[in-house]
Amino acid sequence: MATFLLGLALTVVLCAGLRQAESERTQAEFAQRAAVRAAAVTRAFDEATDALRATNLFFQVAGEVGRDQFDAFAQPLIRRHGYLQALEFQRFVSGRERAAFESERARLWPDFSIRERGPIGLVRAAPRERYLVNDYVVPIVGNEPVYGYDALSNPAQRGFSMRAVDTGEPVASPLIDLVQGEWQRRGILIAMPVYRPGARLDGVAERRQAAQGLTVVVIDVALLVGGSLDAVHLLGDSDFSLAVNAVGEDGVMLRAFRQGEPPGPLPWWQELAGESDLRLEREFQVGGTRWQLVVEQRPPGIAHHLAELAALAFGLVLSLAMAGLVQQRSARTRRIEALVDERTSALDLATTSLRLYERAIEASANPILLVSALRPGFPIEYANPACVRTYGYPVEELAGRPLAMLGGDNADEPAMEELRQALRERREGHALVRQETRDGVELYSDVYIAPVRRPGSVTEHFVVTVYDVTKAKRYEAELEHRAQYDTLTGLANRALLADRIERAIGNAGDKPVWAVALDIDHFKLINDTLGRRVGDEALRALARRIGTAMRPADTAARVGGDNFMLVLCGCADERQAAARLQVVRAAVSEPLEMEGQVLALGCTAGVAGYPADGKDAETLVKHAEIAMYRAKETGRNAVQFYAPHMNARAIDRLALEGALRLAVQDNQFELHFQPQVDLASGYVVGTEALIRWRHPQLGTVRPDRFIGLAEETGLIVPIGAWVLRSACRQNQRWRRAGLGPLRVAVNLSARQFAEPDLVETVARALEESGLPPDSLEIELTESMMMADVEAAIETMGCLKRMGVKLSIDDFGTGYSSLSYLKRLPVDVLKIDRSFVKDIVSSADSAAMVDAIVSLAHGLRLNVIAEGVETLEQLDYLRNCGCDEVQGYVYCQPQPVQDVEPLLRAGRVQPAALDA
């Protein structure tokens, strides 16, 4: 009985050992497989963050990035990482800039507006001081709803976006409902700020001031996790349950992804055996937010315990058999059983460990080799399957070959010598080396060598681990190239241009170096008529021509749009520089055939020379551009050398432009009004609103000094909108004060008339002021209507249907056709002051005025003459049938407080002016 009990006890011990070994093996297999899943998920998040950093770096390197450049850079990243929902550039737009920004984007995207989330979808964003607008979105297909979306309208996005601006680092949003898919999909946004180049970033205030926008990567978390697992063939494993949770700031877990169902209750026999579910929890960071990954697996079933059951059955039988022989060989049996038990456990443990290590090495994605340390040449004794995938050599061909054969023709490089020295000295070694595949393809590899020592510190083998970093090196080289060369034309960019100029100056000695700013005349017309694709092809062709026309020692750079910069060396004086430049201009002016169209292009150039016009690259470029702008002012397709007075003129213009922008913000404008008098009754029937600028330091700035600049810079649009709103409000105040049904006339500029939201702007001004539409008269010039007659007729028709009065200002000075005049829905013709001035002394002017009055009345239009200064002029206009007049003979333009007494009097008397 004692022998049986002893045998039974030994059997139990054996089964326990087997169960322990099997449990450890199961735990090791689970840990490995769970770690593979965790690595796949976290690597995908890291790659998404790397894509964001690459995009942000592109903005830092390229400076001002256009939509086409952003598309060209972002598309490969989207194709490479299929789980990215979108790459975006969100631009800060102030409330004052909103109208101009929306108008500009509407040219590419009809009905574009800044939007925010409403009760049932996206609606037009409410007025705010600042917006963060999705300006560039790649890919746009499938992401149309987010184009124009204001990120600051969402409190969750506003918080993490500003945190990114304040820190300058990638910051991830909490788990949110994505606008894509109508908020039915959940994901995160990782944002990184784009600062103005050269801005100081010492603190939070400086960063916020310098922030131009944010680059954002949009991640559908379910797509990212599922796609990452599917890419490594782990998504269909039904034995595993995987969950990815977002950890909120309050510690609450939000489920982002679930694969499989968590294990249910264990069978009774597994609970009795003390088994439990296999589980791995791992936390990781994504852009400063915490995430949790949970992998679970049910413990193996009874099939994995067959060895234990067999051992138990064998032990029971053996115990019964040995019980009869215990009297004779009890001592020997105990020794044998102890020895068998010990050796069996050790063997099982060694076998389990060996299998685990072997599977780990076989499954490694990186090449691993085992090299002999005792034989000459350090021959390869083992190579895992990753070596075959990386180098292209079969395993049997690698066996026995010297390790140096993997270096190919690069075996003599210093990095390879470092590895050989480590092998000779029996120590660890590491080097970044160039290798070659069997097909001759070059690889960049991070190689680590580690000695395998036996007892007694004898090194018999080396383990060589190889990490393929070829893609990283190529990407690094590509980024370096993009940092110095224009992606469209292949010419140098601004960064490389500055270096080339400094080098040229350093090598010039006392000889001049010439910087040339070259602008292609009217190139915008190509983009507007033939499209941007054709425009890009034309730029590439022009870049090739310019490069061919220049000497090898010279430099050609594209600095933006259709602007090029040339650096000419070896020209002793302006005459030689002009001759060299003429060769380039002649190459540009040769006919260029694009899309069946033959283009004849000219160019305007400005030239600045070292050292007379500047002693550094920045100054030379600036002065060359100033000379080029001066050449444009005097007539395009010309060359202008820099002169010091140009800089003063440019500084004055820049100062006036800055003051004008500040005037818009600080409301430095005011309106003057000039009465319009009915000749038949003598009553004031309306006024014309005229803008005046009261500058705090410059005093009164004449309209003829700043209106043209406002037109050129686009500021005329907000200024004109202010004039329209202010004139409507003031006229409504006069009407409410009982001054009669006065009409107010407002001039529109050509830039305003071309705005797509002009009708909406007029309607909004009337609605806000409460002024009846027939009390507003909009004055248009002939030239702005004749530029695009059909579009002008459509716009004027919309205004006319609204009830607004329309007049043609300065009639007779333009080039309008009578056939078009009868189609224009106008109410009034306004005779220009140039005809009124000589109406008494010139028979030609008088005949012209008579013709205009007759023409207007024949078309059932009213006539108003402006610039009337004398009683003689007034009498002539009354006799020829003119309906209304305005001019100094009654009143010059006056501020509101000065013109109101005249309006209250109703009827006014003319007074002759002094000569």
Side-chain angles (χ1 to χ4, degrees):
M1 187 63 184
T3 302
F4 175 77
L5 293 177
L6 180 59
L8 183 61
L10 291 174
T11 301
V12 171
V13 172
L14 177 61
C15 292
L18 289 173
R19 188 167 69 84
Q20 178 65 24
E22 183 65 28
S23 175
E24 291 177 356
R25 185 184 66 81
T26 302
Q27 288 283 357
E29 288 184 353
F30 170 77
Q32 180 191 17
R33 297 171 70 185
V36 170
R37 287 162 170 78
V41 173
T42 55
R43 183 173 62 249
F45 279 105
D46 292 341
E47 289 176 351
T49 304
D50 290 343
L52 175 65
R53 289 183 181 275
T55 305
N56 197 271
L57 178 60
F58 176 57
F59 272 82
Q60 296 178 24
V61 171
E64 184 65 26
V65 176
R67 186 180 306 277
D68 293 342
Q69 293 175 293
F70 185 86
D71 286 352
F73 184 84
Q75 288 289 356
L77 293 178
I78 291 294
R79 289 193 296 269
R80 189 177 304 131
H81 307 296
Y83 47 78
L84 297 183
Q85 182 66 32
L87 271 171
E88 302 172 351
F89 172 59
Q90 299 177 345
R91 188 185 300 276
F92 282 112
V93 178
S94 68
R96 293 182 297 272
E97 298 170 338
R98 175 175 179 176
F101 177 83
E102 289 180 333
S103 173
E104 177 68 21
R105 296 308 182 266
R107 297 178 181 177
L108 298 176
W109 194 275
D111 301 325
F112 174 87
S113 65
I114 300 177
R115 296 174 295 165
E116 64 185 17
R117 188 179 299 183
I120 57 173
L122 293 178
V123 299
R124 181 177 175 84
R128 283 190 290 275
E129 292 185 0
R130 200 181 196 194
Y131 307 87
L132 182 58
V133 185
N134 282 343
D135 195 9
Y136 302 161
V137 182
V138 175
I140 193 62
V141 177
N143 291 298
E144 296 90 345
V146 304
Y147 183 46
Y149 178 69
D150 176 23
L152 296 183
S153 65
N154 187 337
Q157 289 184 248
R158 181 169 59 247
F160 88 87
S161 298
M162 296 311 299
R163 193 159 64 250
V165 171
D166 294 346
T167 62
E169 295 294 328
V171 175
S173 71
L175 192 64
I176 62 175
D177 297 331
L178 298 178
V179 177
Q180 295 91 340
E182 300 181 349
W183 304 290
Q184 300 301 313
R185 295 153 59 187
R186 310 196 77 186
I188 63 171
L189 282 68
I190 308 177
M192 193 171 181
V194 175
Y195 298 114
R196 186 175 60 254
R200 297 188 52 163
L201 308 174
D202 297 336
V204 172
E206 288 83 357
R207 290 191 181 98
R208 292 190 175 185
Q209 183 68 25
Q212 294 179 316
L214 294 95
T215 52
V216 178
V217 60
V218 182
I219 300 173
D220 184 333
V221 176
L223 180 61
L224 179 142
V225 178
S228 301
L229 295 177
D230 187 61
V232 291
H233 309 293
L234 298 176
L235 194 60
D237 194 341
S238 60
D239 293 340
F240 278 73
S241 167
L242 183 141
V244 178
N245 304 317
V247 183
E249 295 181 356
D250 53 359
V252 175
M253 301 289 183
L254 299 176
R255 177 63 47 77
F257 178 82
R258 160 68 74 182
Q259 174 207 355
E261 295 297 326
L266 293 174
W268 63 269
W269 57 272
Q270 286 185 309
E271 291 184 350
L272 186 62
E275 296 185 1
S276 60
D277 292 332
L278 301 175
R279 180 181 176 89
L280 171 70
E281 291 187 11
R282 179 172 295 179
E283 283 198 0
F284 57 96
Q285 295 277 337
V286 178
T289 61
R290 294 169 52 206
W291 288 74
Q292 181 194 59
L293 183 140
V294 180
V295 183
E296 296 176 289
Q297 181 185 12
R298 171 160 300 192
I302 193 169
H304 290 263
H305 296 275
L306 293 179
E308 300 171 37
L309 296 176
L312 178 61
F314 175 77
L316 289 174
V317 173
L318 184 61
S319 297
L320 291 172
M322 292 301 293
L325 301 175
V326 69
Q327 297 296 330
Q328 301 176 5
R329 303 181 181 180
S330 58
R332 183 181 176 186
T333 301
R334 284 193 296 271
R335 289 196 300 271
I336 292 174
E337 287 179 349
L339 182 59
V340 169
D341 189 34
E342 179 183 353
R343 294 294 175 85
T344 302
S345 298
L347 181 60
D348 288 345
L349 226 84
T351 302
T352 301
S353 299
L354 184 59
R355 289 176 180 172
L356 176 61
Y357 298 147
E358 183 179 358
R359 284 196 301 270
I361 293 175
E362 294 285 336
S364 174
N366 299 306
I368 299 177
L369 304 101
L370 188 64
V371 177
S372 173
L374 304 178
R375 295 165 58 191
F378 305 102
I380 299 170
E381 293 187 354
Y382 167 81
N384 70 343
C387 293
V388 181
R389 296 192 297 270
T390 301
Y391 297 113
Y393 292 98
V395 172
E396 59 272 12
E397 188 174 337
L398 286 174
R401 301 285 296 276
L403 181 63
M405 60 89 64
L406 295 178
D409 295 336
N410 306 311
D412 295 332
E413 288 189 352
M416 295 296 293
E417 179 59 29
E418 163 62 22
L419 297 180
R420 285 194 292 269
Q421 188 67 22
L423 292 171
R424 289 193 292 265
E425 296 176 1
R426 303 293 196 270
R427 60 174 173 81
E428 293 183 354
H430 164 240
L432 179 64
V433 300
R434 289 190 300 158
Q435 297 180 303
E436 292 182 356
T437 67
R438 186 178 188 181
D439 299 330
V441 178
E442 188 178 62
L443 299 175
Y444 285 91
S445 303
D446 231 350
V447 180
Y448 291 83
I449 293 178
V452 180
R453 295 185 174 90
R454 294 183 61 82
S457 298
V458 177
T459 301
E460 295 183 351
H461 293 87
F462 289 95
V463 174
V464 181
T465 306
V466 181
Y467 298 92
D468 184 2
V469 295
T470 306
K471 290 183 178 180
K473 291 292 290 183
R474 289 174 180 169
Y475 183 63
E476 179 182 346
E478 182 181 353
L479 284 181
E480 183 177 357
H481 184 272
R482 290 188 177 186
Q484 294 184 326
Y485 290 91
D486 177 54
T487 56
L488 178 64
T489 63
L491 298 179
N493 62 12
R494 279 190 179 273
L496 184 57
L497 171 68
D499 179 71
R500 293 287 177 85
I501 295 177
E502 295 295 348
R503 287 173 181 266
I505 291 174
N507 298 329
D510 57 351
K511 296 180 180 179
V513 175
W514 303 91
V516 181
L518 193 71
D519 180 78
I520 308 301
D521 294 334
H522 305 296
F523 189 82
K524 183 177 182 296
L525 184 61
I526 298 178
N527 287 332
D528 293 342
T529 56
L530 302 181
R532 288 195 173 274
R533 181 184 62 80
V534 177
D536 290 346
E537 288 295 332
L539 283 175
R540 281 191 281 266
L542 291 173
R544 288 192 295 270
R545 289 184 177 183
I546 292 172
T548 304
M550 297 182 64
R551 300 193 313 171
D554 299 335
T555 298
R558 178 173 177 251
V559 294
D562 57 346
N563 297 323
F564 298 86
M565 185 67 66
L566 313 180
V567 182
L568 306 180
C569 304
C571 300
D573 52 29
E574 292 184 356
R575 181 183 57 80
Q576 294 184 8
R580 185 88 57 81
L581 178 57
Q582 183 56 35
V583 176
V584 176
R585 297 181 65 233
V588 171
S589 62
E590 291 181 4
L592 179 64
E593 184 173 350
M594 303 294 297
E595 295 288 323
Q597 298 285 336
V598 178
L599 307 178
L601 300 173
C603 58
T604 301
V607 186
Y610 164 86
D613 300 328
K615 297 185 178 181
D616 57 77
E618 182 179 359
T619 305
L620 281 176
V621 170
K622 180 181 71 173
H623 287 170
E625 289 178 341
I626 289 175
M628 184 263 290
Y629 289 132
R630 179 57 180 164
K632 281 188 174 183
E633 292 176 0
T634 57
R636 296 176 184 266
N637 197 22
V639 177
Q640 182 76 53
F641 281 81
Y642 174 78
H645 71 273
M646 297 180 185
N647 197 31
R649 178 187 177 93
I651 292 174
D652 181 65
R653 183 187 182 281
L654 186 63
L656 186 62
E657 180 180 343
L660 187 59
R661 293 184 183 277
L662 189 62
V664 175
Q665 299 176 14
D666 296 347
N667 197 21
Q668 296 176 4
F669 298 108
E670 64 181 31
L671 288 184
H672 284 198
F673 295 88
Q674 186 174 40
Q676 296 175 335
V677 180
D678 180 72
L679 279 177
S681 63
Y683 281 99
V684 177
V685 293
T687 61
E688 180 179 3
L690 302 168
I691 190 170
R692 296 292 184 268
W693 179 11
R694 303 290 186 186
H695 191 275
Q697 285 80 37
L698 302 177
T700 301
V701 182
R702 301 187 309 276
D704 59 354
R705 188 181 176 193
F706 71 85
I707 291 298
L709 180 60
E711 282 271 6
E712 182 180 344
T713 59
L715 292 173
I716 194 67
V717 175
I719 292 175
W722 177 85
V723 171
L724 183 64
R725 292 193 304 270
S726 302
C728 290
R729 284 197 295 265
Q730 183 58 54
N731 199 46
Q732 181 65 1
R733 292 192 194 101
W734 284 333
R735 289 172 58 87
R736 291 175 179 171
L739 301 184
L742 297 173
R743 181 185 68 245
V744 63
V746 177
N747 288 279
L748 285 190
S749 70
R751 187 74 173 265
Q752 283 178 276
F753 190 66
E755 287 294 306
D757 61 345
L758 171 64
V759 176
E760 181 181 349
T761 301
V762 174
R764 188 161 52 248
L766 292 172
E767 181 181 358
E768 292 174 357
S769 64
L771 184 69
D774 59 358
S775 294
L776 172 64
E777 180 180 302
I778 292 180
E779 295 187 0
L780 309 170
T781 63
E782 293 178 75
S783 58
M784 74 171 63
M785 290 182 292
M786 292 301 107
D788 188 348
V789 176
E790 298 302 327
I793 291 174
E794 182 179 354
T795 301
M796 295 171 69
C798 294
L799 295 172
K800 189 67 178 175
R801 287 190 292 273
M802 191 186 302
V804 174
K805 302 292 185 182
L806 300 176
S807 67
I808 298 181
D809 193 14
D810 301 336
F811 185 76
T813 61
Y815 50 89
S816 60
S817 168
L818 294 180
S819 63
Y820 284 126
L821 180 61
K822 69 179 182 179
R823 295 178 56 195
L824 299 176
V826 297
D827 303 285
V828 179
L829 293 184
K830 199 168 187 180
I831 302 175
D832 185 64
R833 64 179 66 248
S834 61
F835 299 127
V836 175
K837 178 181 179 182
D838 301 326
I839 195 174
V840 177
S841 59
S842 171
D844 293 338
S845 295
M848 183 66 72
V849 171
D850 289 340
I852 294 175
V853 172
S854 298
L855 174 64
H857 289 166
L859 295 175
R860 296 179 298 279
L861 304 177
N862 283 351
V863 183
I864 181 171
E866 62 179 348
V868 182
E869 298 181 355
T870 67
L871 295 175
E872 291 80 3
Q873 295 170 351
L874 189 66
D875 290 338
Y876 188 92
L877 291 169
R878 183 182 291 111
N879 293 333
C880 72
C882 183
D883 301 304
E884 300 172 10
V885 297
Q886 67 181 82
Y888 286 8
V889 71
Y890 284 111
C891 179
Q892 62 182 351
Q894 299 284 350
V896 173
Q897 63 273 16
D898 295 335
V899 79
E900 277 190 0
L902 192 64
L903 300 181
R904 293 186 183 278
R907 177 175 293 181
V908 294
Q909 295 296 325
L913 299 179
D914 296 333

